[in-house]
Amino acid sequence: MAAHTLKKSIWSLGRIHCHIYGVNVRNPLNRATYATALSTNHSSQNKGFPDRGNKGPFNRRSRREAGDPRTDRMPVDQDWTTVYPTATPFRQGSVPLPVRMGFPVKKGVPPEKKGNLELIKIPNFLHLTPLAIKKHCEALKPFCTEWPSALDTGAKCDEHFPVKVECKDYVSAGTSLRNPSARIVHLRVSLSACVNYDYAMYLLTVLYHESWKMEAWESEKTVADMEEYSWEDSPSQKNIMSTLVRMQVAGEGEGEAVREELLGRPEVQEYRDSVTRLKNEGESESSMHQYRDAVKKVLNL
Amino acid sequence: ILKGQRYIYSTRLSGDSEQHQGQYYTVPPSHFHTVFPHGLPPRYQQQVKTFNEGCVMVRQPALELISHLKRADYSKPTLRYLLYGVKGSGKTMSLCHTVHYCSTQGWLVLHIPDAHLWVKNCKELLPSSYHASRFDQPIQASNWLRNFRTTNENFLSKIKLRQRYVWTKRESTEEGQPLGELVDMGVSRVKSSSDVVGAVLKELRLQAGGTEGGFRLAVAVDGVNGLWGRTTLKKEDKSPVAPEELTLVHNLRKMINNDWCGGAVIATLSQTGSLYAPSSAYLPQELLGEEGFDSMDPFIPVPVSLYSEKEFESCYLYYLDRHWLQHPHSQTEEGKKELIFLSNRNPSVLERLCAFL
C-alpha cells in the first residue's frame, strides 16, 4: 500500500517538474538541444570601466576573475543529484536551464535568471527530482519492513484493524510552532465491525465508574474553568441578595431564614433564569428584554 | 414644504410628557452653559450654534427613564439604568435630556461626559499621595471639577462637609465648611485634585437623600464601559495600568455601586472612544465585560432604537423648517425616501447626510 502511494507521489512530482520547466527532464538521455541564455562577451577584462591601472575607487587589488559558470561544462547525461543533493537556493550558474522570472517591464520579457532575485527567493524542488527520490527510497529500504502480503485489499485491512486513529500535522510559516488544530485526533470505529460486544460493554462500565471518581486536583477548579455559568455563589446572586435585604422586602430580620425566603420567591427565580440565560447563551435583544422585565419585577418597579 | 403633521416646538413644553413623543422641545439658552458645560455631543453643539437654539426630540427611552425617576422610591438602594443601542441611535442625547430634566427638578447632577477620557491619552500620571499603589490624573480631575462647579453653583454653598480632610501639613478643610470651598481648592491646587474629586463624591454619597437638607443626586456617566476593561496608560516601567489603579476610576466605581440611596445612576454604553472593543459591539455584556456586568448587576437596561417613522418625520420637518435642507430634491417626497434609505433612520447618520444638503 505504501509503495503504491509513493509511486503516485513520484509521478505527480515528475509531472509538476515538467510543468514548471517545460523541458523533458524525465529522460536525460534525450539529446535535446537547448539554447542557453548565456551569451555575449563578458570575458573582457574591462567590465565597462576604463582601465585605471588598479588605482582609484572601485579598486580591489588582486581581484580574482569570475570563471565560466558551471553550466558550460555540464554534460547532458550528468547525475543531477550531485549538483543539487540537498535543498539549496537557486544558483543560476548551476542550473542549465534558460529560466525567466519576473514582471516584463515596458512590454518586454521577464528578466533572465542571471542576477534574478525572484528566482532565489522562491522555494525550489531541484533537489527532489524523481531520480533523487528513488535514491532516497533505496536508502530507506533496509529500515522498512515488508507490507504483509495477506493485507492486499482494503476490506481485509478493515477486518483486522477496525480501529483507525488519524492525527494531523500542520506546517506553516508563522510566529508559533503550535497549531491548535493539531490537537484533534480522530479515532474511528465501525460499530458493525464490533466483534467483542462483551469486552466493549466491560470497557464502557469501567469508564463510567472511573468518571465518577473525584481526583484531588479537581477541587481546585476555579470559576474561570467552569463550562457553564451557575448562579449560586455568583456575584450576581450576592448583589441581588444584598439589594433586597437593604430594601427590606422580606420584612425585618437577618440571617439564613430571610435569605431562603427571598430565594424562594418567583421574581428572584425569574431573575436567576434571565441572568443564567444571558451568561450562557450570550446576548440578544430577546434575552435583554427578559432580563429587563425580571429586574423590574424583582425591584418592584 | 409638507404641512401634514406639523411638529411643535416651543419653550412651553417641559419635555417630559408622554403625548409629546416625537416632538421637539427647546432648552432655554441660559441652561446650556450651566447644565451642559461639557456634556453634549460635539456635533450637536455645532448644531446649536448654527440654529441659535437647542431643540431636543422627546423620545421613548428618555421618557421611560423620566417616568422611572418620577416613581422611584428614594429611600431604597439606588437604581441603575443603562442606555444601550447601536452607534448613533441617540444614547448620549437621551442621557442629556434626562440630565436636563433632573436639573430642572432641582437635583444635583454629577455628569461625567465620557469615562473613556479618563482611561486614555493622559499626559500626566502622578502617583497618588493618599494611596501608594494608585495614580492621579490632575488635569482631568481639575477640568471635571471646574465643570461640576459651573453646573451646581447653588448647591455648593448649601452642602456642608461632614468630615475633616487634610491635604498637606499646612492645608486642611474643616468639618462644616461648604462644599464650594473644597471644590475651589481642588481647582486651584491641581496636584491634589483627584483626591478632592474622591472626597466630593464621598460627601455627596453620604448626604444624598438625607432627611435634613436632603437633595437628590443624579449620577450620569457616558461611556461607562470605560471603567472596566483595559486602559492605554502605562507606568514608567512600561507595564499597563489597570483601571482600578486610577484614583478617579476607583472613586467613580464606588459611586456606581448601589450601596447608597437618594438618587439614581444613569449610564450609557459607548463603543466610540472605547478601547479594545470591536466596532460592531453594542450589547451590554459585550461592552461591559464580565467584571462590569457583575458590578452593575442588577440594573435596568433601556434600549435606544433608531428613529421610528413618526420620529423621522419630525426630524425631517424640523430640518426643513430651519432651512437646513437646501437642496431642492431633498424637499420632495422622493428625496425623503432617499434619505430614509441612505440613513436607515439612524439619527447621527441622518444628521451627517443632511449637513451636506
Side-chain angles (χ1 to χ4, degrees):
Chain A
M1 194 90 112
H4 278 300
T5 44
L6 203 55
K7 242 196 207 167
K8 257 193 251 170
S9 59
I10 298 172
W11 286 118
S12 60
L13 266 175
R15 267 188 214 114
I16 293 169
H17 273 215
C18 295
H19 188 67
I20 292 179
Y21 296 116
V23 174
N24 194 354
V25 291
R26 250 191 281 180
N27 201 349
L29 284 177
N30 215 352
R31 289 205 164 252
T33 50
Y34 49 86
T36 52
L38 311 171
S39 59
T40 71
N41 44 350
H42 281 284
S43 47
S44 63
Q45 308 287 66
N46 291 4
K47 297 229 177 336
F49 294 124
D51 193 12
R52 296 187 206 215
N54 284 353
K55 283 205 175 44
F58 310 119
N59 153 50
R60 260 188 276 156
R61 281 183 185 276
S62 61
R63 185 193 165 163
R64 216 162 31 110
E65 273 295 325
D68 293 328
R70 188 173 164 180
T71 49
D72 287 350
R73 283 170 275 126
M74 277 182 176
V76 180
D77 54 352
Q78 70 177 331
D79 185 10
W80 182 255
T81 54
T82 52
V83 184
Y84 264 89
T86 47
T88 24
F90 183 86
R91 288 188 297 264
Q92 55 96 7
S94 309
V95 178
L97 302 166
V99 191
R100 288 181 172 269
M101 175 150 167
F103 185 79
V105 183
K106 283 192 190 159
K107 301 277 179 199
V109 291
E112 56 176 10
K113 66 175 176 174
K114 192 155 171 175
N116 194 332
L117 193 60
E118 302 291 319
L119 281 167
I120 302 176
K121 284 196 292 195
I122 53 168
N124 64 67
F125 291 97
L126 295 164
H127 57 289
L128 289 177
T129 49
L131 195 61
I133 296 187
K134 215 180 246 180
K135 281 194 183 173
H136 293 325
C137 291
E138 289 301 325
L140 285 172
K141 269 212 174 110
F143 302 102
C144 300
T145 52
E146 282 264 345
W147 183 261
S149 51
L151 287 176
D152 44 4
T153 59
K156 283 202 192 159
C157 289
D158 288 339
E159 189 197 321
H160 291 281
F161 298 98
V163 181
K164 296 194 196 357
V165 179
E166 188 185 303
C167 320
K168 285 187 183 168
D169 291 318
Y170 293 82
V171 178
S172 68
T175 48
S176 160
L177 281 182
R178 309 185 194 288
N179 192 326
S181 336
R183 296 174 65 207
I184 302 173
V185 174
H186 290 270
L187 194 147
R188 280 177 233 277
V189 182
S190 167
L191 287 177
S192 54
C194 281
V195 195
N196 198 340
Y197 176 78
D198 296 324
Y199 184 59
M201 293 312 292
Y202 161 74
L203 275 181
L204 282 172
T205 325
V206 167
L207 281 173
Y208 176 76
H209 285 292
E210 279 295 314
S211 68
W212 280 107
K213 283 196 196 160
M214 282 282 279
E215 297 280 332
W217 45 263
E218 275 188 55
S219 50
E220 290 166 33
K221 192 174 182 190
T222 56
V223 174
D225 291 324
M226 301 276 183
E227 300 91 20
E228 59 171 29
Y229 179 79
S230 73
W231 192 70
E232 285 75 39
D233 282 338
S234 70
S236 170
Q237 189 193 28
K238 293 193 194 105
N239 284 345
I240 191 75
M241 283 291 120
S242 65
T243 317
L244 287 174
V245 163
R246 265 180 289 132
M247 280 166 66
Q248 291 173 339
V249 161
E252 297 290 332
E254 291 274 332
E256 273 306 306
V258 176
R259 254 179 69 92
E260 290 301 323
E261 206 259 294
L262 282 174
L263 278 174
R265 293 211 176 170
E267 304 95 49
V268 180
Q269 303 280 337
E270 236 186 86
Y271 174 74
R272 184 197 65 191
D273 291 331
S274 66
V275 173
T276 323
R277 185 180 164 204
L278 260 184
K279 295 256 183 175
N280 278 337
E281 273 176 43
E283 285 177 311
S284 63
E285 286 294 323
S286 62
S287 55
M288 263 290 139
H289 280 294
Q290 192 189 359
Y291 176 74
R292 201 159 93 106
D293 299 326
V295 170
K296 279 193 192 164
K297 275 201 206 144
V298 153
L299 297 175
N300 264 340
L301 286 172
Chain B
I1 303 283
L2 304 163
K3 275 204 194 236
Q5 191 181 349
R6 195 97 176 107
Y7 74 100
I8 305 170
Y9 71 111
S10 72
T11 49
R12 290 189 317 251
L13 280 186
S14 56
D16 56 351
S17 39
E18 290 267 342
Q19 66 255 40
H20 296 130
Q21 190 178 345
Q23 291 165 359
Y24 279 82
Y25 84 99
T26 322
V27 177
S30 53
H31 283 192
F32 268 109
H33 296 289
T34 45
V35 181
F36 298 121
H38 54 174
L40 292 170
R43 282 194 79 95
Y44 183 72
Q45 276 174 348
Q46 285 174 338
Q47 187 183 309
V48 167
K49 216 161 82 169
T50 319
F51 291 171
N52 256 340
E53 62 170 12
C55 280
V56 180
M57 198 199 279
V58 176
R59 290 183 74 195
Q60 173 54 30
L63 283 175
E64 196 184 319
L65 270 179
I66 292 173
S67 70
H68 278 304
L69 290 174
K70 279 186 194 164
R71 291 179 313 192
D73 182 350
Y74 290 104
S75 55
K76 302 251 174 75
T78 348
L79 286 169
R80 278 91 59 94
Y81 307 93
L82 187 67
L83 287 158
Y84 71 95
V86 292
K87 226 191 279 207
S89 54
K91 305 180 284 285
T92 313
M93 286 309 292
S94 301
L95 183 72
C96 292
H97 182 163
T98 322
V99 160
H100 183 243
Y101 168 77
C102 292
S103 72
T104 48
Q105 300 287 311
W107 291 36
L108 205 168
V109 171
L110 219 84
H111 188 60
I112 288 112
D114 194 356
H116 292 301
L117 293 174
W118 288 358
V119 295
K120 59 179 179 176
N121 295 344
C122 253
K123 297 268 168 31
E124 272 183 37
L125 257 193
L126 303 173
S128 164
S129 47
Y130 181 66
H131 198 275
S133 59
R134 288 200 218 132
F135 291 94
D136 275 355
Q137 290 151 293
I139 314 175
Q140 276 82 6
S142 54
N143 273 340
W144 185 79
L145 277 173
R146 216 170 292 131
N147 289 324
F148 173 73
R149 189 170 53 184
T150 330
T151 319
N152 301 298
E153 292 275 4
N154 45 342
F155 281 102
L156 293 178
S157 43
K158 286 193 220 154
I159 302 177
K160 302 275 185 271
L161 298 177
R162 289 213 185 143
Q163 195 190 323
R164 181 166 178 257
Y165 295 98
V166 179
W167 306 115
T168 59
K169 270 184 253 182
R170 273 166 284 167
E171 284 169 14
S172 65
T173 321
E174 300 297 325
E175 207 178 308
Q177 297 270 5
L179 191 68
E181 217 181 277
L182 191 63
V183 175
D184 287 328
M185 215 216 80
V187 174
S188 51
R189 291 231 172 287
V190 178
K191 269 214 156 67
S192 46
S193 49
S194 319
D195 292 321
V196 168
V197 171
V200 163
L201 292 178
K202 185 166 150 194
E203 284 294 321
L204 292 175
R205 211 166 47 229
L206 289 173
Q207 295 194 22
T211 38
E212 33 19 87
F215 56 90
R216 302 238 181 104
L217 179 61
V219 180
V221 187
D222 202 337
V224 75
N225 49 318
L227 296 179
W228 295 279
R230 292 153 70 181
T231 69
T232 49
L233 305 172
K234 293 211 186 352
K235 299 183 213 162
E236 270 152 11
D237 54 358
K238 311 270 174 128
S239 58
V241 175
E244 47 271 0
E245 289 176 10
L246 294 168
T247 332
L248 288 174
V249 173
H250 180 87
N251 289 320
L252 193 56
R253 280 195 197 178
K254 280 199 258 185
M255 217 51 199
I256 297 190
N257 275 338
N258 64 351
D259 48 7
W260 52 283
C261 47
V265 176
I266 312 153
T268 61
L269 291 176
S270 168
Q271 197 279 329
T272 17
S274 74
L275 299 163
Y276 307 106
S279 60
S280 56
Y282 73 97
L283 289 166
Q285 228 177 333
E286 288 168 339
L287 285 173
L288 284 173
E290 271 214 44
E291 210 192 320
F293 187 86
D294 289 330
S295 320
M296 291 282 293
D297 198 36
F299 62 90
I300 300 171
V302 180
V304 180
S305 56
L306 305 174
Y307 278 157
S308 67
E309 299 258 359
K310 190 167 157 216
E311 288 169 345
F312 180 84
E313 276 286 333
S314 169
C315 184
Y316 177 72
L317 287 171
Y318 176 66
Y319 283 143
L320 272 182
D321 191 71
R322 295 275 112 215
H323 302 294
W324 190 234
L325 295 171
Q326 291 284 320
H327 197 281
H329 187 64
S330 62
Q331 288 152 10
T332 62
E333 194 55 42
E334 280 290 321
K336 196 167 100 161
K337 285 198 189 135
E338 270 190 39
L339 280 174
I340 297 182
F341 178 74
L342 281 173
S343 63
N344 195 22
R345 295 212 197 90
N346 183 315
S348 80
V349 175
L350 178 65
E351 196 261 311
R352 270 163 224 258
L353 277 176
C354 293
F356 292 120
L357 297 171

